[in-house]
Amino acid sequence: MRRTAPGVTVLVVGVLLALPGCTGGDAGAVTSGTANHAAAPAVPSAPPTPAAPKSALAGLIVVPTGYGADARELSGQFTLQSFLGTISGVPAEDRALLLNASFKEGYQAVRVSPDREKQYTIRLFRTGSKRKAQDLRAGFWSQETYTAKYAVPGVPDIRTGRRVTPTGVPDEAEAIAQASFVTGNLLAQITIRQTGPIAGNLQPDTRLATALAQQQYKRLTSKSSS
């Protein structure tokens, strides 16, 4: 703010005193007008919006060594609405499945290999009970079609599937290996995707899917995850 020089202030006061009608009631009016224009008390600022609590599921995720975040896909905590809006391919059907499972919270991590040819996705769903988690798994699994299964030693009641299908891009195919299991009220889904030429010998990476399913099961059933 620029300040008035002292000499200018004295001159203005002297001129005002020399003018007729600047005493008595008019002087009171000037004082009153100055009071009306006084600065109003500062309005208290709104308290900062608290940050959303970090999901406990984030610390339970297992990812392949050397794989980095994939910016093409959502990674992080998801709610019913964010899952339906950004992840689900069949929102109406998945809404019914999640509501019937008493879905509470979820977390997804999407990682890509250093050569960016292979993508790994792990999703965790916390439901109302183990029975509801099993029903949710059955509902999700019925949406997919696989040509073969593969074994995952050490993980009880696991569902696995593998397939190679065209992607819709000319001369390109996609190989998928998926595993899904339930522990407590948690459903875990593991998916490995890789694309390549249709004419090539592209195969689902069931070896990686097996190793990660075993590690994820161990992580979810260990004492440190409780």
Side-chain angles (χ1 to χ4, degrees):
M1 180 183 296
R2 292 195 298 176
R3 301 176 61 184
T4 306
V8 176
T9 303
V10 172
L11 177 60
V12 172
V13 173
V15 172
L16 290 176
L17 292 177
L19 292 175
C22 289
T23 59
D26 289 344
V30 173
T31 304
S32 175
T34 302
N36 289 339
H37 288 83
V43 178
S45 60
T49 303
K54 186 177 181 180
S55 172
L57 298 180
L60 303 179
I61 296 291
V62 169
V63 296
T65 302
Y67 277 51
D70 191 341
R72 298 169 297 179
E73 303 283 349
L74 167 72
S75 285
Q77 183 178 5
F78 60 80
T79 63
L80 173 64
Q81 293 304 321
S82 60
F83 178 82
L84 298 176
T86 61
I87 299 175
S88 172
V90 282
E93 185 174 339
D94 285 347
R95 176 186 292 274
L97 290 174
L98 292 172
L99 289 176
N100 289 338
S102 300
F103 171 73
K104 299 180 182 301
E105 63 172 330
Y107 199 92
Q108 171 173 279
V110 184
R111 300 291 185 266
V112 65
S113 60
D115 59 10
R116 305 195 67 81
E117 292 184 355
K118 197 173 299 183
Q119 185 191 70
Y120 167 77
T121 302
I122 171 67
R123 291 181 191 143
L124 298 180
F125 299 82
R126 191 183 298 279
T127 67
S129 67
K130 183 174 183 177
R131 177 72 259 176
K132 289 180 180 292
Q134 291 171 335
D135 291 342
L136 182 60
R137 178 180 65 172
F140 282 149
W141 201 260
S142 67
Q143 298 171 351
E144 304 286 348
T145 301
Y146 297 100
T147 56
K149 301 178 181 179
Y150 58 95
V152 181
V155 183
D157 190 32
I158 189 171
R159 293 192 182 188
T160 63
R162 50 174 289 171
R163 70 172 182 264
V164 179
T165 58
T167 62
V169 176
D171 300 322
E172 184 182 79
E174 180 180 52
I176 299 176
Q178 189 171 80
S180 182
F181 63 86
V182 170
T183 174
N185 65 344
L186 288 176
L187 166 62
Q189 291 181 328
I190 294 171
T191 306
I192 311 293
R193 298 177 181 272
Q194 184 175 2
T195 57
I198 290 180
N201 187 29
L202 187 64
Q203 296 295 324
D205 194 342
T206 57
R207 181 177 180 180
L208 177 60
T210 297
L212 290 171
Q214 292 170 331
Q215 293 174 31
Q216 188 64 72
Y217 178 77
K218 183 178 180 180
R219 179 70 182 90
L220 294 178
T221 55
S222 67
K223 292 182 179 180
S224 59
S225 67
S226 58

